[in-house]
Amino acid sequence: MILKIQHFVIFITLLGFVSCKQEKQTLRKIEGKQIPIDSTISKSQAIEDFVAPYRNRINEVLDSTLTYAPKTISKEDGEFNTTAGNLMADIVLKEANPIFKTRTGKEIDFVLLNHGGIRSIISEGNVSARNAFEIMPFENTIKVASIKGNYVNDMVEFLIRSGRAHPISGMQIVLDNNRKLKKALVNGAPIDPNRIYYVATSDYLITGGDHMGFFKNNTSVTETDYLIRNAMIDYFKKVDTLAPEVDDRFYMEN
């Protein structure tokens, strides 16, 4: 019995010695080559058969009709606001406000998104979840920033200077015929520079993305844990028809 134990100890010691020797070896060179992934690579039927039911189910879910668009919805059909931008901003306000109210007891005052975040149109006809993925392919969530009114005025000035129809909801900006600010309202009232406003936006913009540095002046941020895309899909399921219009939320008087 004693002899067996001794052999075992010797074996472990030798193994440890070999392991230490191996750890001291140095990697001197790494070589690689590009392998193009294109039509020249033949399909594996076994993999295709395995993936097929999952692919079919995903396509079925994505392509199921949720609502209807009687005309094309685009981010290019207006100078100061657009049908696509108005639709997205209104959806964020409508769908995220109940979550924010439950968590904080407060109401979202207005929404500000970015024009560049809209990546596709909604064509006339049936609208599905796939359309939501095409419009918003990013994993952006909705966040709500607490912003003092004087910084809200900075937002208004930014929107006027930007020359882009950034989506807004709950706010109105009116310019005179010289493109100077005539009035800016939040929920129908002038902006109070000393009041705290609750502004829903994306997690990208709240860190100053797309030159929106004013969001960094927030006093607090509430995470809704709600993807903008999912808010769109939830809204699509609730309505029969999508009919956003270019309206007077941001316009220039004649």
Side-chain angles (χ1 to χ4, degrees), residues 38-110:
D38 54 31
S39 58
T40 62
I41 298 176
S42 59
K43 292 182 179 180
S44 167
Q45 193 56 48
I47 294 176
E48 285 294 307
D49 293 342
F50 179 80
V51 170
Y54 300 98
R55 180 192 293 121
N56 294 341
R57 177 55 182 161
I58 289 172
N59 288 335
E60 179 185 347
V61 171
L62 287 178
D63 293 327
S64 295
T65 298
L66 302 179
T67 186
Y68 180 79
K71 64 179 182 179
T72 298
I73 299 170
S74 168
K75 70 173 186 177
E76 307 294 344
D77 53 12
E79 182 180 2
F80 298 104
N81 67 89
T82 69
T83 53
N86 293 350
L87 178 65
M88 282 190 66
D90 289 349
I91 287 174
V92 168
L93 183 59
K94 181 177 179 61
E95 298 298 319
N97 193 52
I99 298 171
F100 181 68
K101 188 173 182 179
T102 298
R103 295 185 181 183
T104 67
K106 311 286 187 181
E107 300 269 356
I108 294 172
D109 289 298
F110 67 95

Side-chain angles (χ1 to χ4, degrees), residues 15 43 126 145 174 195:
L15 233 109
K43 292 182 179 180
N126 293 335
V174 182
R195 181 191 157 185

Side-chain angles (χ1 to χ4, degrees), residues 26-242:
T26 303
L27 182 64
R28 298 185 182 279
K29 187 177 182 182
I30 298 176
E31 292 183 339
K33 63 178 181 178
Q34 289 187 338
I35 301 175
I37 307 298
D38 54 31
S39 58
T40 62
I41 298 176
S42 59
K43 292 182 179 180
S44 167
Q45 193 56 48
I47 294 176
E48 285 294 307
D49 293 342
F50 179 80
V51 170
Y54 300 98
R55 180 192 293 121
N56 294 341
R57 177 55 182 161
I58 289 172
N59 288 335
E60 179 185 347
V61 171
L62 287 178
D63 293 327
S64 295
T65 298
L66 302 179
T67 186
Y68 180 79
K71 64 179 182 179
T72 298
I73 299 170
S74 168
K75 70 173 186 177
E76 307 294 344
D77 53 12
E79 182 180 2
F80 298 104
N81 67 89
T82 69
T83 53
N86 293 350
L87 178 65
M88 282 190 66
D90 289 349
I91 287 174
V92 168
L93 183 59
K94 181 177 179 61
E95 298 298 319
N97 193 52
I99 298 171
F100 181 68
K101 188 173 182 179
T102 298
R103 295 185 181 183
T104 67
K106 311 286 187 181
E107 300 269 356
I108 294 172
D109 289 298
F110 67 95
V111 174
L112 171 58
L113 302 174
N114 64 318
H115 182 264
I118 304 171
R119 309 302 279 198
S120 180
I121 65 171
I122 296 178
S123 298
E124 178 183 344
N126 293 335
V127 179
S128 67
R130 189 182 296 278
N131 293 116
F133 276 85
E134 291 169 347
I135 296 166
M136 175 53 67
F138 316 110
E139 299 299 299
N140 290 127
T141 60
I142 300 167
K143 290 191 175 186
V144 183
S146 305
I147 302 284
K148 199 172 179 181
N150 58 317
Y151 295 119
V152 173
N153 285 324
D154 290 343
M155 291 183 187
V156 173
E157 290 300 322
F158 167 81
L159 291 171
I160 295 170
R161 293 194 313 269
S162 71
R164 305 178 75 190
H166 293 298
I168 59 173
S169 183
M171 172 185 279
Q172 185 184 43
I173 300 171
V174 182
L175 306 181
D176 63 23
N177 55 16
N178 293 314
R179 293 179 176 259
K180 301 296 183 181
L181 178 64
K182 183 172 183 179
K183 63 179 178 180
L185 309 173
V186 173
N187 294 320
I191 297 168
D192 181 347
N194 297 309
R195 181 191 157 185
I196 294 295
Y197 291 88
Y198 300 101
V199 189
T201 188
S202 72
D203 56 346
Y204 168 64
L205 297 180
I206 213 161
T207 59
D210 215 352
H211 309 292
M212 297 192 187
F214 41 74
F215 275 118
K216 294 182 179 181
N217 296 312
N218 67 78
T219 58
S220 66
V221 174
T222 302
E223 172 65 83
T224 65
D225 304 304
Y226 198 12
L227 291 174
I228 295 176
R229 182 197 310 123
N230 288 353
M232 295 176 67
I233 293 171
D234 289 343
Y235 180 80
F236 291 170
K237 291 177 179 178
K238 296 175 183 177
V239 298
D240 177 76
T241 304
L242 300 177

